[in-house]
Amino acid sequence: MAELDPRLTPARPDLAARHLQGRVNAARFADGVTREVVEPQAPLRRHPRHDASLETEALHGERMTVYETSEEGWCWGQLDADGYVGWMPANALAAPGPAPTHKVAALRTLVFPGPAIKLPPTMTLPLGARIAVVEIQDTFAVIASGGFLPHRHLTPLDVVEPDFVAVAERFLGTPYLWGGKTSYGIDCSGLVQVAFTACGIPCPRDSDMQEGALGTAVPSRSDVSALRRGDLVFWKGHVAIVRDATMLLHANAHHMAVAIEPIGEALSRISAVGSEVTSVKRL
């Protein structure tokens, strides 16, 4: 039996998803319940503590299959979108509302309590957040929860961006945040996942998963002149997007931000700390 990736497998020694019965050992098995993220973004952590490592974030409107809710207010489960498993604060989740109809297409947008921009916003939603629009009032979209958003910041769920590199470029200058997926903080693989998702391309969460799942390998990975816009350059634990013939775009801990830098400089800098390119993938 193939080894199951613990990041994508809802199984612990004491509890596992019922659909894994017979495949994993656990003291008990449970049917999950579907919950929806109601915060702008919600942390998914490795352990049920606010100081635990941030594994990833789930965006507003995403759904999670919850297998356990602790007395301390944490839900353990699996994200429906990319399958990541972890702990999320229970107050970030609620029973699912109406099916989403639209998604946020701006880098971020504001939710107002009424159809007026002078009202104090109640929430800021990130790119990719999913919402149910019930009607349009002039320049505002009214959502099922009662808030008002600028209609021009939204797009129907089935509309996709044409260029994932252009989507990633919008995050230029965003602070680096391990596990982050929004313009308030993002990491290298989060940037790739958010940009691909905006273009309707399924994309796993972590860079090693992306390296295995996305595109086809470019044989001459050491030949910088062979790189094209949209190629993904992978190192162990890191991924960068080729912006053009001379530049890379990536969220990285050297700049502590999403930055554009010359390809040659990036390759030399990263090589100097002992990491070499493991592959280049092209869609």
Side-chain angles (χ1 to χ4, degrees):
M1 182 182 296
E3 184 176 351
L4 299 174
D5 189 332
R7 296 170 294 179
L8 303 176
T9 308
R12 312 183 323 229
D14 63 321
L15 174 65
R18 192 174 304 280
H19 67 82
L20 292 173
Q21 199 161 5
R23 300 181 64 198
V24 301
N25 294 319
R28 63 186 179 93
F29 294 86
D31 295 315
V33 294
T34 300
R35 292 291 181 262
E36 184 174 294
V37 176
V38 292
E39 294 295 315
Q41 70 263 8
L44 191 78
R45 300 193 183 277
R46 184 173 300 178
H47 304 291
R49 304 191 313 268
H50 291 288
D51 63 350
S53 173
L54 178 65
E55 299 293 273
T56 187
E57 291 179 313
L59 307 184
H60 183 88
E62 286 192 47
R63 296 190 174 185
M64 180 179 186
T65 303
V66 173
Y67 296 99
E68 179 184 48
T69 301
S70 73
E71 294 182 357
E72 293 76 24
W74 290 88
C75 290
W76 180 75
Q78 184 171 33
L79 297 178
D80 289 4
D82 61 18
Y84 225 102
V85 173
W87 292 91
M88 185 177 292
N91 59 10
L93 298 165
T101 60
H102 290 69
K103 58 188 175 183
V104 175
L107 195 59
R108 53 183 177 266
T109 192
L110 300 174
V111 180
F112 298 94
I117 61 174
K118 293 184 178 181
L119 294 172
T122 59
M123 186 182 294
T124 303
L125 294 180
L127 175 74
R130 298 159 61 90
I131 55 173
V133 173
V134 295
E135 64 173 311
I136 303 297
Q137 291 187 13
D138 296 323
T139 60
F140 287 94
V142 185
I143 60 178
S145 60
F148 291 73
L149 285 78
H151 183 235
R152 66 185 303 163
H153 287 177
L154 305 178
T155 189
L157 285 182
D158 60 354
V159 174
V160 297
E161 296 276 357
D163 181 358
F164 78 86
V165 182
V167 176
E169 288 172 335
R170 298 182 204 168
F171 287 86
L172 186 63
T174 295
Y176 180 84
L177 174 65
W178 181 276
K181 285 180 57 176
T182 77
S183 62
Y184 290 106
I186 200 164
D187 67 12
C188 65
S189 55
L191 180 65
V192 170
Q193 188 186 49
V194 169
F196 273 51
T197 300
C199 296
I201 304 170
C203 182
R205 178 58 178 91
D206 292 345
S207 61
D208 63 318
M209 301 174 184
Q210 293 169 356
E211 186 173 17
L214 299 175
T216 57
V218 176
S220 54
R221 70 183 189 208
S222 61
D223 182 4
V224 174
S225 66
L227 296 177
R228 301 178 187 171
R229 179 178 172 87
D231 285 351
L232 300 177
V233 182
F234 289 94
W235 296 260
K236 182 176 174 59
H238 187 59
V239 58
I241 301 167
V242 176
R243 184 172 184 252
D244 55 40
T246 61
M247 296 290 181
L248 288 178
L249 171 71
H250 55 155
N252 67 91
H254 175 75
H255 297 93
M256 283 306 294
V258 176
I260 295 170
E261 64 176 318
I263 294 173
E265 288 184 17
L267 294 177
S268 297
R269 175 174 59 77
I270 297 172
S271 176
V273 296
S275 186
E276 301 295 335
V277 172
T278 55
S279 71
V280 175
K281 304 297 286 292
R282 180 170 296 160
L283 266 67

